[in-house]
Amino acid sequence: MPPALISAFGHLKAAAATVNAANGVLEPQLARAIEQAASEVADLTLIDHFPLSIWQTGSGTQTNMNTNEVISNRANEILGEKERGTKKPVHPNDHVNRSGSSNDGTATAMHIAAVREVEGRLVPSLERLWKAMVRKSEEFEKLGLIKVGRTHLQDAVPLSLGQEFSGFAAQLELGMERVLQSLEGLRYLAMGGTAVGTGLNVFKGFDVQFCEEVSRRTGSKFVVAKNKFEAISANDAIVYASGALNTLAASLFKIAQDIRFEGSGPRCGLGELLLPENEPGSSYMPGKVNPTQCESLTMICARVVANHTGITVGGLSGQFQLNAFKPLLISSFLHSVRLLSDGMNAFRQNCLEGLRADEKRIKELMDNNLMLVTCLSGTLGYDMAGRVAKHAHKEGLTLRAAAIELKALSGQEFDRIVRPETMLAPADKQTMQVQT
């Protein structure tokens, strides 16, 4: 099982012991030993004692009991017991599992782990990548590079390289917003609902105090689930948060793929971007440089999409009072968080920050862009502008030469109208041609 989930179980058991002792339902001496042992689970000191695989019962009961047994044995050691497995004075069920069940416990540990990993790993990585993309957009904008736009993989009207990268930055910013929004649903904890959500064998107020104690221990905000029946029988918050990761993966795939294509070449591709030469690209072709970071990130994104498919199936597969796909759900979610976090860090450090523009190549392609004819539509009309573009392509002429040859415009008129730098934003009304 993922270490982040084991750590979350440690925080859960420590918090439960603290609250139980404070309310007189657990002896203080036992509670202190449980808290110490559970803290060692939380900081992963005892991780070697958690050998169980993901593929177990759908409620996560085996891992919950694994946690109870490890904490019980360690607590008994702390209290002076030399032989493991005695279950005295600290019993794994009666004391460590007090005020909880595998059903509400696993659901709670899932949310604790998810919030801590998203806040501690994903959000910082995403924020660093977003800021690096903003800086790269600003860097390219200062260069004043105007490039060929492309739609349907065909030449289109121009835009600046800085504008293109500002679109990438906006994708990442929106991704951040979606991830942060999805975090709010993960802050609701099921603990206190026990087996089915009724709270059998739990004293009133345990749930509120538990969330306060977990928040104190972890430094992350947690609150009581609005409805514990929902929180145990369904795992919609995990499915929703995975949807945010899935959307982020789609954005990252598009960004990496665009950079990969625009860096294709160096002589026989688009060649507008110069990718960092991190390592030899081929074991056979000397001097070849491959877009390794782009390919790595796109493969990561594909895996995140696959994980989301599994999470979706897991989310819809609960029956009655329990979703019994919890290990699949949380392991897939935490895997996606780790993959995206590491992938974004590597892409930023090894590709984006060293990315450069080939100004000569960008200008060469821009000069040959037939879709500059679009700015002539207001003067010549759509049909004549189309004739100019097709004539230029068929005869191998520049747009200017084609317009003159078809007597559509003089050279002077063409130069006055066709200026790429004026095509990067909406025009003032006063400069617009009136269509007749």
Side-chain angles (χ1 to χ4, degrees):
M1 294 290 271
L5 182 67
I6 303 304
S7 176
F9 265 113
H11 286 297
L12 182 158
K13 301 298 181 179
T18 299
V19 175
N20 284 328
N23 287 272
V25 298
L26 184 63
E27 294 179 24
Q29 182 184 16
L30 301 186
R32 285 192 294 271
I34 291 172
E35 289 166 11
Q36 181 179 335
S39 295
E40 293 177 12
V41 171
D43 66 19
L44 301 180
T45 300
L46 303 176
I47 190 62
D48 290 343
H49 296 273
F50 290 85
L52 297 180
S53 74
I54 295 166
W55 314 115
Q56 56 178 273
T57 185
S59 62
T61 298
Q62 280 94 331
T63 291
N64 180 49
M65 279 308 303
N66 189 171
T67 307
N68 291 336
E69 294 282 359
V70 169
I71 293 174
S72 172
N73 275 305
R74 178 66 184 122
N76 286 331
E77 286 181 345
I78 292 168
L79 293 171
E81 178 63 50
K82 296 191 177 357
E83 184 180 352
R84 290 179 179 175
T86 63
K87 298 185 179 179
K88 289 184 178 181
V90 177
H91 192 282
N93 296 80
D94 294 340
H95 302 127
V96 183
N97 206 53
R98 177 71 60 87
S99 300
S101 159
S102 293
N103 295 351
D104 63 343
T106 303
T108 295
M110 290 167 65
H111 281 209
I112 294 172
V115 168
R116 296 186 73 214
E117 287 292 285
V118 170
E119 286 185 339
R121 287 187 187 275
L122 184 72
V123 170
S125 297
L126 177 52
E127 186 173 23
R128 286 191 292 266
L129 179 60
W130 166 56
K131 289 181 177 178
M133 192 67 74
V134 170
R135 289 193 298 270
K136 187 61 64 173
S137 172
E138 293 170 347
E139 173 190 325
F140 286 152
E141 194 62 29
K142 288 178 181 178
L143 293 174
L145 298 175
I146 302 174
K147 66 182 294 290
V148 177
R150 297 180 179 90
T151 58
H152 305 274
L153 298 181
Q154 304 295 308
D155 302 344
V157 294
L159 75 165
S160 73
L161 188 59
Q163 287 174 324
E164 182 175 53
F165 273 69
S166 76
F168 297 157
Q171 281 186 278
L172 297 174
E173 184 176 15
L174 288 170
M176 177 81 77
E177 292 176 5
R178 296 183 185 104
V179 167
L180 292 176
Q181 182 186 47
S182 73
L183 264 179
E184 297 312 304
L186 296 171
R187 299 188 191 281
Y188 292 104
L189 302 185
M191 198 66 178
T194 59
V196 298
T198 59
L200 178 65
N201 291 334
V202 175
F203 61 87
K204 289 183 179 180
F206 169 82
D207 50 3
V208 174
Q209 294 179 49
F210 172 84
C211 289
E212 291 173 350
E213 179 62 20
V214 169
S215 298
R216 184 192 68 78
R217 286 183 57 87
T218 63
S220 296
K221 178 185 176 183
F222 293 101
V223 295
V224 178
K226 294 180 179 179
N227 185 299
K228 295 188 183 70
F229 303 104
E230 181 275 336
I232 296 171
S233 66
N235 289 109
D236 293 350
I238 292 286
V239 179
Y240 184 80
S242 177
L245 303 186
N246 190 65
T247 304
L248 175 60
S251 297
L252 291 169
F253 193 107
K254 198 269 184 187
I255 292 168
Q257 192 79 303
D258 281 0
I259 290 174
R260 177 183 179 219
F261 284 147
E262 290 182 11
S264 61
R267 293 190 175 181
C268 301
L270 297 180
E272 295 177 337
L273 297 175
L274 300 171
L275 303 176
E277 299 181 8
N278 295 317
E279 68 280 306
S282 172
S283 63
Y284 185 71
M285 293 172 278
K288 197 169 190 288
V289 176
N290 288 335
T292 54
Q293 294 303 312
C294 296
E295 292 170 357
S296 172
L297 187 57
T298 52
M299 285 190 288
I300 283 172
C301 293
R303 183 54 187 265
V304 171
V305 171
N307 283 347
H308 182 58
T309 299
I311 289 170
T312 302
V313 173
L316 58 83
S317 295
Q319 298 85 31
F320 304 114
Q321 276 65 63
L322 178 69
N323 179 289
F325 274 67
K326 285 177 167 55
L328 169 68
L329 288 163
I330 191 57
S331 63
S332 298
F333 183 85
L334 294 176
H335 187 214
S336 292
V337 169
R338 184 63 179 264
L339 282 173
L340 288 171
S341 301
D342 292 349
M344 287 189 292
N345 284 337
F347 184 75
R348 171 180 55 82
Q349 294 169 350
N350 301 317
C351 181
L352 182 61
E353 290 179 347
L355 194 65
R356 295 179 294 120
D358 189 328
E359 300 183 35
K360 181 179 178 181
R361 178 62 173 166
I362 288 173
K363 185 177 186 307
E364 176 188 344
L365 291 174
M366 189 66 235
D367 290 343
N368 285 315
N369 183 12
L370 295 179
M371 288 304 102
L372 291 175
V373 77
T374 304
C375 67
L376 294 176
S377 295
T379 301
L380 302 179
Y382 186 91
D383 292 339
M384 175 55 77
R387 283 181 59 195
V388 170
K390 290 178 180 180
H391 185 68
H393 183 55
K394 181 179 178 181
E395 301 298 330
L397 301 173
T398 65
L399 278 177
R400 188 177 189 277
I404 294 171
E405 192 168 292
L406 291 178
K407 296 184 169 40
L409 290 169
S410 68
Q412 186 177 16
E413 290 172 321
F414 183 93
D415 294 339
R416 178 177 57 82
I417 298 171
V418 182
R419 291 184 295 140
E421 65 273 14
T422 67
M423 301 172 68
L424 306 181
D428 294 330
K429 288 189 294 185
Q430 293 82 357
T431 64
M432 295 293 293
Q433 291 282 336
V434 178
Q435 294 291 326
T436 59

